[in-house]
Amino acid sequence: MINCDLGMSKPFDIEIGRLTGPANYSEVRGVVTGQRGTFFLETFGCQMNDHDSEKVAGLLLSRGYQQVETPEAASMILYNTCSIREKAAQKVFSRLGEYREKQSAGKVIGVLGCVAQQEGEDIFRRAPWVSLVCGSASYSKLPEMLARLEAGNSRVTGLDTDTDETFETPVTRRDNPWRAYLTIIEGCDKACSYCVVPFTRGPERSRASDSILREVQQLAERGYSEVQLLGQTVNSYADPTTRKMRFSELLLAVADVQGIRRVRFTTSHPSDFTRDIVEAIEREPKVCDHVHLPVQSGSAKVLRAMQRTYSREEYLEKIAMIREAKRPIGITTDIIVGFPGETEADFEETLSLLVEVQYDSMFSFKYSPRPNTPSLSMSDSISEEEKGRRLAILQDKQREIQAAKHAGLLGEGFEVLVSGKSRRENQWTGYTTSHRMINFTSQERELLGTYVQVQVTGATPNGLVGEHAV
Ligand code: SF4
């Protein structure tokens, strides 16, 4: 999704020493870490992008590169950024400007991700000190590209989007020691009129179920207890093997792996959200009771202009299906305000949808046109001021909803996976299975990565506070 989960999973204050990932890279056969040089990898964007960077890092480590924490210490500087955010390309070029001097010091500079795909070889024209431009659909070709760089090529590109391969690496460096991200489907076959993903990430390609399950097994053996299955439209998963596992079957199979305690998935597309997914959540407590189901607008007219493939009524039917589940399921969404042609009445329909659905949380954005998207040619006549006004009203409404929802949770107890430690004494943070963040107090000295019971003692519109229940 265009807005997929920005910032949804960022814990705070994890001690840097714990962010090493459990893999022992020097074990990669025949490779001595650092023998090929060092790399610095900077990432901006959504979870898919974060996970792509983890895989790129894994690939480089397996080829004998060593990851370092500053561009100064690196022989190769890579910048992986998505074009979701406004003026992304501009920001990339300004960052590349900062790296210019570093190239004259002999460093290799590379651009990865959606912006690389979008700007293509133009990057070499505008920033001639760049040597590598690789779009996200071409990451599977990175080993070959690195080999060409190592052989002395000064300009290497990977910009195909017609690849039918998914990006799998034997070693993935994971930046969270407890939760592992796993891309199960790449690209997108939908054609939402505002979205660059079909252009930058290419057509939909699903990963083989046996390969996914093998990796989950390895993750569990390394101590990961939570896995998050990722895809732009994760529930459109279509197993390419003869097993033809449905997405809901895959959820259950992942939950069945010994050592796995939580299975998350994001982002779901409403049109492909089917009853069997709800049944999998009902049946298996390890499949988390949270669905991120972006609606984008509450107006049927705007949904048509966005080419979202469902109507307001159809979306609400999916919500009703989720709400009828035997086990309560948290629902979150993404909304865009100020799409071309959105009238005040259309906007009111989005507000009424918000009230009807009662989302647990929402990511909301002002529309901004992106290169290579169909909506670029639509007249973007709503002023920035008006978009800002609508966004503020929408967010106020959601804040009200969340305040009431959170107040209703006072006194309840939840199991949380502790993912962060505050600088303040005895303060911790963790997530419930329904992806609610709780800041809580505990006298324990070491809780990171453990599952604890927390009782909710306070609520604000933005979150819950609680106490470790021992
Ligand atoms: S085109 Fe695909 S990735 Fe983009 S918003 Fe639509 S469904 Fe999501």
Side-chain angles (χ1 to χ4, degrees):
M1 295 294 140
I2 189 166
N3 309 325
C4 54
D5 280 348
L6 296 171
M8 266 184 95
S9 66
K10 312 280 182 198
F12 67 90
D13 284 357
I14 292 179
E15 297 150 24
I16 192 77
R18 304 205 56 146
L19 293 178
T20 50
N24 180 355
Y25 305 113
S26 57
E27 282 173 7
V28 180
R29 221 173 301 145
V31 176
V32 179
T33 304
Q35 75 179 12
R36 280 207 162 93
T38 50
F39 71 96
F40 171 73
L41 176 55
E42 188 170 18
T43 312
F44 287 102
C46 61
Q47 287 166 333
M48 290 282 290
N49 234 36
D50 283 345
H51 185 41
D52 280 353
S53 277
E54 290 177 342
K55 288 192 278 185
V56 168
L59 184 90
L60 289 164
L61 290 159
S62 71
R63 288 184 67 84
Y65 288 87
Q66 185 193 344
Q67 188 161 16
V68 291
E69 290 188 13
T70 61
E72 287 70 28
S75 57
M76 179 158 67
I77 300 172
L78 299 172
Y79 190 59
N80 179 15
T81 181
C82 72
S83 42
I84 302 295
R85 299 204 189 261
E86 215 175 337
K87 301 194 181 82
Q90 242 165 286
K91 282 183 195 153
V92 170
F93 284 110
S94 110
R95 182 57 123 242
L96 289 177
E98 293 168 26
Y99 291 154
R100 181 178 198 155
E101 281 174 17
K102 306 215 177 329
Q103 188 252 2
S104 46
K107 296 179 196 283
V108 168
I109 316 283
V111 185
L112 310 174
C114 299
V115 171
Q117 190 69 49
Q118 199 168 281
E119 302 296 314
E121 297 200 356
D122 206 35
I123 292 177
F124 294 136
R125 188 184 57 76
R126 292 177 65 182
W129 53 96
V130 169
S131 310
L132 169 78
V133 174
C134 180
S136 32
S138 302
Y139 286 154
S140 57
K141 305 212 172 81
L142 261 175
E144 187 192 311
M145 295 169 70
L146 286 171
R148 281 163 54 210
L149 274 179
E150 286 160 8
N153 277 285
S154 57
R155 282 189 177 169
V156 179
T157 53
L159 295 167
D160 293 345
T161 53
D162 59 356
T163 171
D164 57 0
E165 291 166 65
T166 49
F167 178 43
E168 293 178 39
T169 69
V171 183
T172 298
R173 184 201 188 285
R174 288 188 157 83
D175 284 337
N176 184 316
W178 312 287
R179 173 190 292 180
Y181 295 121
L182 215 76
T183 304
I184 63 160
I185 173 168
E186 291 178 11
C188 182
D189 280 352
K190 306 277 190 291
C192 303
S193 59
Y194 52 81
C195 182
V196 291
V197 167
F199 175 76
T200 56
R201 289 187 174 263
E204 217 170 81
R205 288 102 63 206
S206 290
R207 193 174 157 187
S209 55
D210 46 0
S211 149
I212 295 170
L213 291 170
R214 225 177 8 254
E215 190 170 347
V216 173
Q217 181 95 48
Q218 288 162 358
L219 289 167
E221 282 161 12
R222 287 180 190 166
Y224 288 99
S225 58
E226 180 173 314
V227 287
Q228 179 154 359
L229 307 182
L230 295 180
Q232 308 290 341
T233 56
V234 73
N235 57 326
S236 313
Y237 178 76
D239 185 4
T241 70
T242 49
R243 281 174 97 179
K244 298 263 170 271
M245 245 189 195
R246 300 186 73 181
F247 176 64
S248 56
E249 291 168 332
L250 181 69
L251 287 175
L252 293 172
V254 171
D256 209 32
V257 172
Q258 201 181 355
I260 295 301
R261 197 153 158 174
R262 287 183 175 182
V263 184
R264 298 189 181 281
F265 54 98
T266 198
T267 293
S268 295
H269 192 284
S271 296
D272 296 336
F273 202 87
T274 45
R275 168 103 207 121
D276 55 313
I277 302 172
V278 176
E279 284 162 2
I281 298 173
E282 283 178 335
R283 192 174 128 190
E284 174 54 73
K286 289 185 196 169
V287 179
C288 287
D289 46 351
H290 170 223
V291 174
H292 186 63
L293 202 66
V295 65
Q296 309 298 9
S297 170
S299 150
K301 185 193 90 190
V302 174
L303 286 173
R304 270 196 306 278
M306 288 177 164
Q307 292 171 204
R308 281 295 287 176
T309 72
Y310 52 83
S311 65
R312 176 187 168 108
E313 286 65 37
E314 284 162 344
Y315 181 86
L316 287 173
E317 280 166 21
K318 305 280 177 176
I319 295 292
M321 180 176 82
I322 298 169
R323 292 279 183 234
E324 278 162 16
K326 293 185 196 110
R327 179 179 165 210
I329 298 174
I331 306 177
T332 54
T333 200
D334 297 335
I335 291 182
I336 298 171
V337 297
F339 189 77
E342 183 191 74
T343 61
E344 187 62 31
D346 293 321
F347 174 62
E348 292 288 335
E349 287 196 56
T350 298
L351 287 178
S352 76
L353 184 115
L354 218 62
V355 173
E356 192 165 343
V357 177
Q358 297 280 306
Y359 290 109
D360 292 278
S361 82
M362 165 190 85
F363 296 88
S364 50
F365 303 84
K366 291 190 281 184
Y367 170 77
S368 66
R370 300 297 145 89
N372 303 305
T373 59
S375 69
L376 191 64
S377 60
M378 300 176 188
S379 154
D380 181 19
S381 55
I382 302 166
S383 68
E384 277 307 298
E385 196 187 348
E386 177 57 18
K387 286 178 191 169
R389 186 189 73 84
R390 290 181 192 177
L391 189 67
I393 294 172
L394 187 82
Q395 290 177 341
D396 279 350
K397 180 58 77 189
Q398 179 59 25
R399 217 168 282 127
E400 257 174 51
I401 293 169
Q402 283 179 208
K405 283 196 153 225
H406 290 169
L409 297 173
L410 278 171
E412 286 208 25
F414 292 97
E415 182 198 76
V416 306
L417 168 57
V418 186
S419 55
K421 183 180 193 314
S422 167
R423 283 185 193 88
R424 275 184 291 147
E425 188 83 352
N426 304 329
Q427 289 289 321
W428 304 82
T429 195
Y431 285 87
T432 66
T433 50
S434 58
H435 211 264
R436 283 199 177 89
M437 195 183 83
I438 308 187
N439 292 322
F440 66 98
T441 50
S442 173
Q443 303 310 316
E444 297 290 327
R445 295 184 64 80
E446 185 52 84
L447 285 179
L448 285 169
T450 64
Y451 290 83
V452 300
Q453 274 301 122
V454 173
Q455 188 170 26
V456 177
T457 54
T460 67
N462 293 327
L464 298 170
V465 288
E467 276 170 15
H468 185 181
V470 266

